Amino acid sequence: MEHKVIEQKTKEVLISVLNLNKTVDELSNDQALFGNDENPGLFDDSLAVLEVTSVLMAEFELEASDFGEESFRTVGTLAQRIYDVLHLAVV
């Protein structure tokens, strides 16, 4: 699967699960998933992480262990991790 397709699907999952009022094009790869008071991220609690992870696992046939703390920095790092896992499985 191409990186661009994974990126698009990842953004679609985030928008759907988190009920974001954005389009795929409006959601930047640099958007933080976790934030702070000054710069909020997309996740507002740990339940959001679980919900997004569950949907991504089903969408891409992944395991929870495929994700790590680094995966959830930004929208882009999440999509990159999914790409990496899928392409390691092919090799």
Side-chain angles (χ1 to χ4, degrees):
M1 188 177 297
E2 290 182 35
H3 190 276
K4 196 74 176 161
V5 173
I6 292 171
E7 189 177 281
Q8 170 112 5
K9 286 186 175 192
T10 301
K11 288 179 178 183
E12 289 171 356
V13 167
L14 288 166
I15 290 167
S16 173
V17 173
L18 300 175
N19 295 315
L20 302 177
N21 192 19
K22 292 184 177 219
T23 66
V24 169
D25 292 333
E26 293 172 330
L27 193 56
S28 166
N29 286 335
D30 295 328
Q31 170 66 55
L33 296 177
F34 291 100
N36 54 43
D37 291 338
E38 296 170 12
N39 187 16
L42 295 179
F43 294 148
D44 53 6
D45 58 29
S46 58
L47 183 57
V49 178
L50 293 173
E51 291 173 340
V52 167
T53 302
S54 294
V55 174
L56 290 173
M57 287 169 48
E59 177 73 32
F60 294 105
E61 298 180 12
L62 301 171
E63 300 292 327
S65 61
D66 291 328
F67 298 98
E69 186 177 334
E70 298 283 320
S71 306
F72 293 100
R73 260 193 208 160
T74 66
V75 172
T77 60
L78 184 56
Q80 183 64 49
R81 179 61 185 156
I82 295 167
Y83 177 84
D84 291 346
V85 169
L86 292 178
H87 283 82
L88 284 174
V90 172
V91 175

